[in-house]
Amino acid sequence: MELAYYSDYAVRLVNSEEPARGKDSLTSVEAVRDLFGGNQSAARRATDADVTRFRSVRGRLRAVFEAADHGDETLAVDLLNSLLLEFPVSPQISGHDHRDDDGRPLWHMHLADHPSNATAGYAAIAAMGLAFHLTEYGVDRLGLCEATPCRNAYLDTSTNRSRRYCSDRCATRANVAAYRARKRLEADRTASTGLAADSAQRTTASGER
């Protein structure tokens, strides 16, 4: 599996809640299972009890993104290390279902979890994927969307570390809001300049009389 696949586990879980909007999609065991994506064998282990457990892990993963967003690298790493210790995985070489043109296995690293429940398995993969991303690209590649009130988590994979939004939709919305704000400011300045000019003219006219 690709590194991005593992780290996306963390992003999907964190973004199941939008605190600023008061939205939370993680309200049922079906919602928990949906987070596993194509990993249906792991999803089937989920029970109603995992809803509360997933929410707890979600809060801890969001704290990692928040620390990174605030520039506190040490805190972000400490929080992530705590998750790694609590939810360990075993790296294994795998070639399942992946073959080259000659029919030989395409060997790659796979993270094998040994969970006591669905939450432990998901948390282990999410934490390890996020750890790989952090150590490979840097803490500043973990971001929270700047489009108010979104604040969804994202992983910055841009070549120049320029990503600021979780999606094109949020980027467009933020750009439109900034454009409108500039236009309002320009209009206010024009109006202010006009008022000042009118006042000066009246003063001059009054002096001439």
Side-chain angles (χ1 to χ4, degrees):
M1 293 183 184
E2 297 291 338
L3 172 62
Y5 178 86
Y6 285 124
S7 54
D8 192 53
Y9 269 57
V11 173
R12 287 205 302 270
L13 179 53
V14 171
N15 292 346
S16 66
E17 181 185 29
E18 297 181 72
R21 291 191 174 108
K23 295 182 179 180
D24 187 349
S25 63
L26 193 55
T27 57
S28 66
V29 66
E30 288 76 17
V32 168
R33 289 170 179 160
D34 286 343
L35 288 170
F36 283 91
N39 192 352
Q40 291 303 303
S41 60
R44 284 192 290 271
R45 293 198 299 258
T47 67
D48 289 331
D50 285 299
V51 176
T52 301
R53 297 189 191 114
F54 261 66
R55 285 179 171 177
S56 176
V57 172
R58 180 179 64 189
R60 295 170 67 182
L61 286 170
R62 174 169 281 277
V64 175
F65 279 92
E66 288 175 343
D69 187 61
H70 293 150
D72 194 337
E73 295 190 18
T74 300
L75 178 58
V77 169
D78 286 346
L79 292 171
L80 192 49
N81 274 336
S82 177
L83 284 163
L84 291 170
L85 286 171
E86 186 172 344
F87 303 106
V89 296
S90 300
Q92 294 180 350
I93 299 173
S94 175
H96 57 79
D97 301 327
H98 298 282
R99 302 280 172 171
D100 62 18
D101 294 337
D102 296 323
R104 299 172 60 189
L106 293 173
W107 301 113
H108 58 277
M109 292 303 297
H110 175 80
L111 298 182
D113 58 74
H114 306 284
S116 56
N117 53 64
T119 302
Y122 193 100
I125 293 173
M128 183 59 75
L130 204 56
F132 279 150
H133 194 93
L134 185 152
T135 53
E136 180 72 17
Y137 301 108
V139 176
D140 59 340
R141 293 293 189 136
L142 278 56
L144 291 174
C145 187
E146 292 185 13
T148 305
C150 179
R151 304 302 284 167
N152 272 350
Y154 66 84
L155 300 172
D156 185 0
T157 56
S158 63
T159 55
N160 57 356
R161 299 174 183 264
S162 61
R163 185 170 179 179
R164 298 166 55 201
Y165 306 104
C166 68
S167 64
D168 290 340
R169 179 182 178 184
C170 277
T172 299
R173 188 170 69 245
N175 289 333
V176 169
Y179 173 79
R180 289 174 177 171
R182 287 195 301 272
K183 286 298 183 181
R184 285 195 299 270
L185 182 59
E186 290 172 3
D188 290 344
R189 286 175 176 170
T190 300
S192 178
T193 301
L195 289 173
D198 289 344
S199 177
Q201 289 177 354
R202 287 195 297 271
T203 300
T204 300
S206 176
E208 291 175 349
R209 290 196 298 271

